[in-house]
């Protein structure tokens, strides 16, 4: 049976391909047309068809043999090429795997291991695949040759499968040795790195701990320390010594690690040895410095204890002495205020007593300063730099000397101030005595005159004219006495300028004298005026001298305090004694209130003698009233309820007529005529009985 595809190939590639020649150079359309022609011819020629089938069979066999041979040759070439490449790669790789030069650091060895792992992961797997494929291709080739009755394939010399296997075995042995070497070398370097890192850590910790320790041990801070500071420094040093002993073990460990690194041939042994030697040298130096510092601290402690005792003694004596000086300065600068010579003499006596204590105070000052100097001497001789202040007091020798100098300066100033004040008080005492001498004369004189004037106004000796004459003589004598008061004012002015506020030599002050003088002038003037008014009242009312004396006697009788005025109860008693019905009943109270409104229109609660006389004169004499005046105007008006300006001008003098016309209101009654004037409201207004 003919293979269609093989026949198809024979048509395309066979030697007798048809009329178009070998290779079938026609187009696809031509080919299909030609095929149709052939099919049509074959159907027409059976013999040709048979011959054609034989040719196709022969062509197919030849093509198959050639294809197998070509494929075998291709496999042989691939084997030779792949074997050659693989063996070349093995030859290049084995020297790299046999390179066992150790590196200095674990990082470099780890890089080698990483390169080896890259080789295992990246580079070798393709080669393993190539080797496997090479063996597969070789076996396949041999099988095909055997099946096609061809002789077995013999690779070139050195490219046999056995050669490849031997090379590959050598490669794997080199790999194994290289890997073992890498791991061992890394473990060795890890050990070295661990020891080196341990050395560095311990060395760094130790160096960090020792950092500043030499400077601290060399520091002469104890030279400026106080006793409490030095005790604290000693305790701190003891703690450091304990710490130093504890670090001894670390130093020994550092030295042991450095020794082991040397034995293991550590590549950086030189730097390790240098650092270790530096640590050991420093350790020896720290031990020596520690011992020296302890000796210095203990020595300084003893010296500071002595100085501290001196400081304490200084403070115990300086504090009270300083307080004494401060109190003394305060007293010496105190602003004293004295008012008498006795007070300033007391201050002078106390100041003299204070000055007598100054020599003892100066000796105490010298003793206190000597204590301080001794403490300074001990410090300087032992090169101790004191902090500059006494821990027990803030009072320094400079403060003591400064305050002492201040006291020395203030003493003469106080002397001067006291003497000045003494002179001032002596002058003030003179002014007091001078004023008192004058005031003790003027004061009683004024009081006497007041009493005499009161007696004159009460006793009513002689006529009113005699009393008036007598009072005016008193008034002239009072005015003539004014120079004595002026002299007292001048003396008082001097006292005020001297700021003198009290005077034990007199009970009279200038204010009292002034008030007394003003009262005296007022009393004499008022008394004279009262007598003059009494004379006017007497003459106007026709009161006799006997009636005036009777009125005065009644008034004086009820003027118990001789104040020249009667209170409401005193006035009521006086009225009752004169026969007025003002008893304590409703009618009597009404009458008394009416009388009080007359004698005390201002409601002051007092009835003067003049008001009393006016009241009594109205009660005992015939006086004009508003009704009488109205009746008179009615006569002039011809019995009318109003009056005209013409009638007023006809009946009265011109000035009085015009006076009435100007003040009379127009008449508003039903019988009024033009120009009518209201004489009734005018008359009541004259006596205060209307709002006109």
């Amino acid at each position: 049976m003919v293979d269609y595809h093989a026949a198809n190939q024979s048509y395309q590639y066979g030697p007798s391909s048809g009329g178009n020649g070998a290779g079938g150079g026609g187009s696809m359309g031509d080919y299909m047309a030609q095929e149709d022609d052939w099919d049509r011819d074959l159907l027409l020629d059976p013999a040709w068809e048979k011959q054609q089938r034989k040719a196709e069979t022969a062509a197919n066999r030849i093509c198959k043999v050639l294809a197998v041979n070509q494929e075998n040759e291709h496999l042989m070439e691939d084997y030779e090429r792949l074997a050659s490449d693989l063996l070349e790669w093995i030859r290049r790789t084995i020297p790299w795997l046999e390179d066992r030069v150790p590196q200095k650091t674990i990082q470099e060895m780890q890089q080698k291991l990483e390169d080896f792992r890259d080789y295992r992961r990246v580079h070798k797997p393709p080669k393993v695949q190539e080797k496997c494929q090479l063996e597969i291709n070789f076996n396949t080739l041999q099988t095909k040759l055997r099946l096609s009755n061809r002789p077995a394939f013999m690779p070139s010399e050195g490219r046999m499968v056995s050669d490849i296997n031997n090379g590959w075995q050598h490669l794997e042995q080199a790999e194994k040795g290289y890997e073992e070497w890498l791991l061992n070398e890394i473990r060795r370097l890890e050990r070295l790195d661990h020891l080196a890192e341990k050395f560095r850590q311990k060395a760094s910790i130790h160096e960090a701990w020792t950092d500043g320790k030499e400077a601290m041990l060399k520091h002469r801070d104890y030279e400026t320390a106080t006793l409490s500071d030095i005790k604290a420094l000693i305790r701190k040093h003891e703690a450091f010594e304990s710490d130093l002993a504890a670090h001894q073990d670390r130093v020994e460990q550092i030295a042991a690690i450095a020794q082991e690194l040397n034995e293991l041939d550590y590549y950086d042994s030189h730097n390790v040895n240098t650092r270790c030697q530096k640590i050991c040298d420093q350790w020896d130096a720290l031990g020596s410095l520690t011992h020296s510092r302890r000796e210095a601290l203990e020595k300084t402690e003893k010296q500071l204890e002595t100085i501290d005792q001196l400081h304490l003694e200084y403070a115990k004596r300086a504090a009270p002495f300083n307080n004494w000086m401060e109190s003394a300065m305060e007293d010496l600068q105190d602003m004293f205020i004295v008012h008498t010579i006795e007070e300033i003499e007391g201050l002078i006596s106390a100041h003299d007593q204070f000055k007598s204590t100054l020599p003892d105070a100066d000796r105490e000052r010298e003793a206190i300063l000597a204590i301080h100097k001794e403490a300074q001497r001990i410090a300087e001789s032992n090169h101790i730099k004191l902090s500059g202040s006494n821990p027990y007091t803030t009072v320094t020798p400079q403060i003591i000397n400064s305050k002492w100098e201040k006291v020395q300066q203030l003493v003469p100033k106080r002397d001067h101030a006291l003497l000045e004040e003494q002179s001032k008080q002596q002058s003030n005492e003179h002014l007091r005595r001078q004023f008192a001498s004058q005031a003790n004369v003027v004061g009683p004189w004024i009081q006497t005159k007041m009493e005499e004037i009161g007696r004159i106004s009460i006793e009513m000796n002689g006529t009113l004219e005699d009393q008036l004459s007598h009072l005016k003589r008193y008034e002239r004598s009072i005015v003539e006495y004014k120079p004595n008061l002026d002299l007292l004012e001048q003396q008082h002015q001097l006292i005020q300028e001297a700021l003198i506020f009290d005077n034990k030599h007199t009970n009279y002050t200038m204010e009292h004298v002034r008030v007394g003088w003003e009262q005296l002038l007022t009393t004499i003037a008022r008394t004279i005026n009262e007598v003059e008014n009494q004379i006017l009242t007497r003459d106007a009312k026709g009161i006799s001298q006997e009636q005036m004396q009777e009125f005065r006697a009644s008034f004086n009788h009820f003027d118990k305090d001789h104040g020249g005025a009667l209170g409401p109860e005193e006035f009521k008693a006086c009225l009752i004694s004169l026969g007025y019905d003002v008893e304590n009943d409703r009618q009597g109270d009404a009458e008394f209130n009416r009388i009080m409104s007359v004698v005390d229109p201002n409601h002051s609660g007092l009835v003067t003698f003049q008001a009393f006389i006016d009241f009594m004169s109205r009660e005992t004499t015939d006086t004009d009233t508003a009704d009488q005046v109205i009746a008179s105007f009615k006569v002039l008006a011809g019995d009318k309820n109003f009056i005209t300006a013409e009638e007023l001008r006809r009946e009265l003098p011109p000035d009085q007529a015009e006076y009435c016309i100007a003040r009379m209101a127009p008449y508003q009654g039903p019988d009024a005529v033009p120009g009518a004037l209201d004489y009734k409201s005018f008359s009541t207004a004259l006596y205060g009985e209307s709002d006109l």
Side-chain angles (χ1 to χ4, degrees), residues 216 256 267 373 394 457 462 532 563 583 627 670:
M216 181 269 291
Y267 77 94
K373 290 178 181 177
T394 58
S457 62
E532 289 175 342
E583 297 292 342
D627 292 338

Side-chain angles (χ1 to χ4, degrees), residues 34-97:
Q34 186 179 14
E35 188 178 65
D36 291 340
D37 292 337
W38 287 343
D39 288 342
R40 187 168 55 252
D41 292 340
L42 286 175
L43 292 173
L44 296 176
D45 189 357
W48 184 86
E49 181 181 358
K50 183 177 179 182
Q51 182 65 32
Q52 187 66 30
R53 289 178 180 173
K54 288 180 180 180
E56 288 177 0
T57 303
N60 287 338
R61 184 178 292 115
I62 293 170
C63 289
K64 183 177 180 180
V65 170
L66 292 176
V68 170
N69 193 63
Q70 287 174 346
E71 184 180 359
N72 291 338
E73 288 179 358
H74 180 69
L75 290 173
M76 291 176 189
E77 291 173 359
D78 287 345
Y79 176 85
E80 290 288 339
R81 179 178 54 78
L82 291 175
S84 179
D85 292 344
L86 183 60
L87 288 172
E88 179 62 25
W89 178 80
I90 291 171
R91 281 193 297 271
R92 290 197 313 269
T93 304
I94 288 175
W96 175 69
L97 294 172

Side-chain angles (χ1 to χ4, degrees), residues 127-194:
K127 299 304 179 183
V128 173
Q129 184 66 31
E130 289 179 12
K131 179 177 177 295
C132 180
Q133 188 63 44
L134 189 64
E135 291 177 353
I136 291 172
N137 291 346
F138 181 79
N139 292 333
T140 301
L141 176 61
Q142 297 292 28
T143 300
K144 286 184 176 183
L145 290 173
R146 187 173 62 251
L147 292 176
S148 61
N149 296 319
R150 301 294 196 282
F153 172 64
M154 292 297 293
S156 302
E157 185 178 358
R159 296 178 183 175
M160 297 293 291
V161 173
S162 59
D163 294 332
I164 293 172
N165 288 333
N166 290 335
W168 192 263
Q169 185 178 4
H170 188 194
L171 175 69
E172 289 186 338
Q173 289 175 351
E175 281 182 10
K176 182 179 180 182
Y178 188 67
E179 184 177 21
E180 290 176 353
W181 174 77
L182 282 175
L183 294 175
N184 290 333
E185 190 65 19
I186 287 174
R187 281 192 289 270
R188 184 185 71 85
L189 289 176
E190 283 180 344
R191 171 62 178 166
L192 285 174
D193 279 359
H194 173 71

Side-chain angles (χ1 to χ4, degrees), residues 195-378:
L195 287 175
E197 182 62 25
K198 189 175 182 181
F199 174 83
R200 285 191 292 271
Q201 287 181 354
K202 289 185 176 294
S204 297
I205 293 172
H206 178 77
E207 288 167 349
W209 179 82
T210 58
D211 184 34
K213 294 295 189 295
E214 284 191 36
M216 181 269 291
L217 293 171
K218 292 178 181 179
H219 187 34
R220 304 174 71 86
D221 50 353
Y222 49 82
E223 292 183 349
T224 59
T226 63
L227 181 59
S228 59
D229 293 338
I230 204 68
K231 290 183 180 295
L233 288 175
I234 290 175
R235 289 192 294 271
K236 182 178 178 182
H237 188 72
E238 291 172 351
F240 173 76
E241 288 177 331
S242 299
D243 196 15
L244 186 70
H247 279 75
Q248 176 68 36
D249 184 55
R250 179 178 287 117
V251 175
E252 293 174 357
Q253 291 176 6
I254 291 171
I257 294 172
Q259 180 64 30
E260 188 174 357
L261 287 171
N262 284 320
E263 292 172 357
L264 293 175
D265 194 22
Y266 181 54
Y267 77 94
D268 200 20
S269 296
H270 174 72
N271 290 331
V272 170
N273 293 335
T274 301
R275 190 173 184 181
C276 181
Q277 187 61 44
K278 182 180 178 181
I279 289 172
C280 293
D281 293 343
Q282 186 186 39
W283 185 255
D284 294 339
L286 288 177
S288 176
L289 290 171
T290 300
H291 179 71
S292 300
R293 182 171 175 81
R294 168 169 279 282
E295 289 182 345
L297 289 173
E298 291 175 347
K299 179 181 178 183
T300 304
E301 181 185 24
K302 293 179 181 179
Q303 295 164 349
L304 286 177
E305 285 177 347
T306 302
I307 293 173
D308 186 69
Q309 289 297 324
L310 292 172
H311 279 165
L312 181 59
E313 183 180 357
Y314 172 89
K316 288 180 178 179
R317 297 178 69 172
F321 185 71
N322 182 64
N323 291 337
W324 176 85
M325 287 192 296
E326 288 181 348
S327 297
M329 288 190 293
E330 184 178 354
D331 292 341
L332 290 171
Q333 296 178 96
D334 187 24
M335 297 296 295
F336 53 83
I337 299 176
V338 296
H339 302 290
T340 65
I341 191 67
E342 292 79 12
E343 290 177 353
I344 190 60
E345 288 177 352
L347 289 177
I348 291 173
S349 176
H351 184 63
D352 291 339
Q353 185 177 358
F354 166 76
K355 289 193 293 184
S356 67
T357 64
L358 291 179
D360 292 337
D362 191 29
R363 286 189 290 272
E364 176 65 12
R365 181 182 66 86
E366 293 292 344
I368 293 171
L369 295 179
I371 296 172
H372 177 77
K373 290 178 181 177
E374 177 62 16
Q376 291 285 358
R377 185 194 64 77
I378 294 174

Side-chain angles (χ1 to χ4, degrees), residues 498-611:
L499 300 178
I500 300 172
F501 302 106
D502 58 352
N503 193 339
K504 67 179 181 178
H505 304 295
T506 181
N507 294 326
Y508 293 100
T509 65
M510 194 65 229
E511 186 64 26
H512 293 157
V513 173
R514 287 196 197 102
V515 171
W517 179 258
E518 290 171 358
Q519 288 179 347
L520 178 61
L521 293 177
T522 302
T523 300
I524 189 63
R526 186 177 64 248
T527 304
I528 290 173
N529 180 257
E530 287 177 355
V531 174
E532 289 175 342
N533 288 336
Q534 291 172 19
I535 293 173
L536 290 173
T537 302
R538 182 198 65 190
D539 294 343
K541 303 298 183 180
I543 301 173
S544 65
Q545 182 65 30
E546 289 75 12
Q547 287 178 310
M548 289 295 292
Q549 290 180 348
E550 182 182 353
F551 293 157
R552 168 56 77 179
S554 297
F555 187 87
N556 289 344
H557 175 73
F558 291 98
D559 185 13
K560 302 299 183 181
D561 58 357
H562 305 292
L566 299 178
E569 294 302 322
E570 293 174 333
F571 182 58
K572 179 184 281 190
C574 182
L575 291 176
I576 293 172
S577 69
L578 293 174
Y580 285 86
D581 185 12
V582 290
E583 297 292 342
N584 293 328
D585 54 24
R586 185 174 181 180
Q587 183 177 357
D589 289 341
E591 179 63 13
F592 179 71
N593 289 334
R594 182 191 69 80
I595 296 173
M596 280 297 293
S597 66
V598 174
V599 298
D600 184 21
N602 296 325
H603 305 288
S604 64
L606 295 175
V607 180
T608 63
F609 181 64
Q610 184 63 43

